[in-house]
Every structure is written in structure tokens, then in C-alpha cells.
């Protein structure tokens, strides 16, 4: 049983705390100067208000961060790419309505059940690409891509396929 303990410690260390992760990423820089923030595998949870200091972000990666709603996501108008794969997101997408430069969002492996839940993304007129792979939505509804294209007029690509498939 000697090995098991070490494994647990390293896994625990791997799910690092948000505070420690931010310290490491930000270092001596100002939050407002950072354009690229990757917090993958950090246990962020649902309080995303800490992001409001990051006013220049263009790329934000929050894959596998145990997020289930985007309700508390502050507006980051500069953001171009938002990665949210492997979370538990099922709602709060209306928080994205002020993101006027957002072109790509990755929502693969989340908990969205119906195409309608993506309707708020229709107000993000810059959105070109969305990834919804591994979704209850994709499994329940083979026509979901067409529905999402109809809901989000600006989209050109869903799951790496264009409207023609």
C-alpha cells in the first residue's frame, strides 16, 4: 500500500487551488495585462467573479474546472476564445451576451440537454465556432446541429463541421 498514498497526494496537488494557480499564472504582472489565462484542471467552481480583474483577456481556458453555471462570469468584451470543456455546465449562458469579440467557445462534455439552452448565444454576433461534442444534447437529438445553426445565426462551425456537414 506504499504507492497508493503518494498517488493520492500528487492527484490532490494536481487539483490545485485557484489561489495558488492564479499566483503562478499572474506572477508579478497585473491581471489587467494578461491576455491568455489557462486554469485547466483547477478546482474553480461556480464563483467566476475573480475574472473581473482580467480585463484584457483574449483566451480563457477553464477546462475541467468543476463549473456548473456561468451565472457569475463577468463581462470580458476582449475575449476571443473561451474553453469550457469537461465541466458540468447546464445553464447561465446568458452571461455571455456582452462578449462582443467571442469567436470560439468549447462546451464539449458538459450537461446541456436541449438546443434551446444555447439560445442566449444568439446574441453573441461574433461567434463563429462552437464545440458541443460528448453532450446529452448530441446523443438525444441528431438534428441538434441544425437547431443550433438556426439559433445562433453567426455560427459557421459546430463540432468542427460547417452547416453543410
Amino acid at each position: 500500500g506504499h504507492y497508493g498514498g503518494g498517488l493520492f497526494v500528487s492527484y490532490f496537488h494536481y487539483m490545485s487551488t485557484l489561489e495558488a494557480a492564479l499566483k503562478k499564472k499572474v506572477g508579478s504582472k497585473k491581471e489587467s495585462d494578461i491576455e491568455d489565462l489557462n486554469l485547466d484542471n483547477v478546482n474553480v467552481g461556480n464563483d467566476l467573479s475573480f475574472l473581473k480583474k482580467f480585463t484584457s483577456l483574449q483566451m480563457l481556458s477553464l477546462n475541467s474546472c468543476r463549473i456548473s453555471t456561468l451565472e457569475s462570469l463577468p463581462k470580458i468584451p476582449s475575449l476571443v476564445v473561451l474553453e469550457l470543456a469537461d465541466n458540468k455546465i447546464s445553464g447561465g449562458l446568458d452571461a455571455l451576451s456582452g462578449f462582443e469579440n467571442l469567436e470560439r467557445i468549447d462546451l464539449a462534455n458538459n450537461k446541456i440537454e436541449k438546443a434551446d439552452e444555447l439560445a442566449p448565444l444568439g446574441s453573441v454576433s461574433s461567434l463563429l465556432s462552437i464545440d458541443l461534442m460528448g453532450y446529452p444534447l448530441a446523443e438525444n437529438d441528431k438534428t441538434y446541429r441544425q437547431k443550433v445553426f438556426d439559433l445562433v445565426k453567426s455560427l459557421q462551425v459546430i463540432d468542427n463541421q460547417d452547416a453543410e456537414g
Side-chain angles (χ1 to χ4, degrees), residues 10-51:
S10 62
Y11 175 75
F12 205 74
H13 180 70
Y14 171 72
M15 268 316 265
S16 68
T17 67
L18 179 57
E19 219 170 320
L22 285 173
K23 263 202 192 88
K24 206 156 84 185
K25 301 285 177 190
V26 177
S28 57
K29 297 188 280 250
K30 286 216 300 278
E31 283 101 336
S32 56
D33 291 340
I34 290 179
E35 294 182 355
D36 190 335
L37 183 62
N38 180 323
L39 294 170
D40 292 358
N41 302 306
V42 175
N43 189 357
V44 174
N46 286 331
D47 183 2
L48 302 173
S49 56
F50 72 92
L51 289 164

Side-chain angles (χ1 to χ4, degrees), residues 41-85:
N41 302 306
V42 175
N43 189 357
V44 174
N46 286 331
D47 183 2
L48 302 173
S49 56
F50 72 92
L51 289 164
K52 62 175 167 285
K53 293 182 185 147
F54 292 88
T55 48
S56 307
L57 281 183
Q58 291 177 19
M59 155 76 189
L60 175 59
S61 191
L62 295 168
N63 298 311
S64 302
C65 289
R66 299 186 179 180
I67 299 166
S68 59
T69 175
L70 298 179
E71 271 170 65
S72 64
L73 183 68
K75 294 222 185 310
I76 310 172
S78 55
L79 201 64
V80 179
V81 177
L82 178 57
E83 298 205 354
L84 291 162

Side-chain angles (χ1 to χ4, degrees), residues 129-150:
S129 167
I130 188 168
D131 192 335
L132 299 166
M133 301 292 265
Y135 255 74
L137 168 70
E139 286 146 34
N140 302 344
D141 180 358
K142 296 296 172 233
T143 61
Y144 81 95
R145 282 199 187 95
Q146 194 47 57
K147 288 182 181 162
V148 177
F149 277 124
D150 292 344

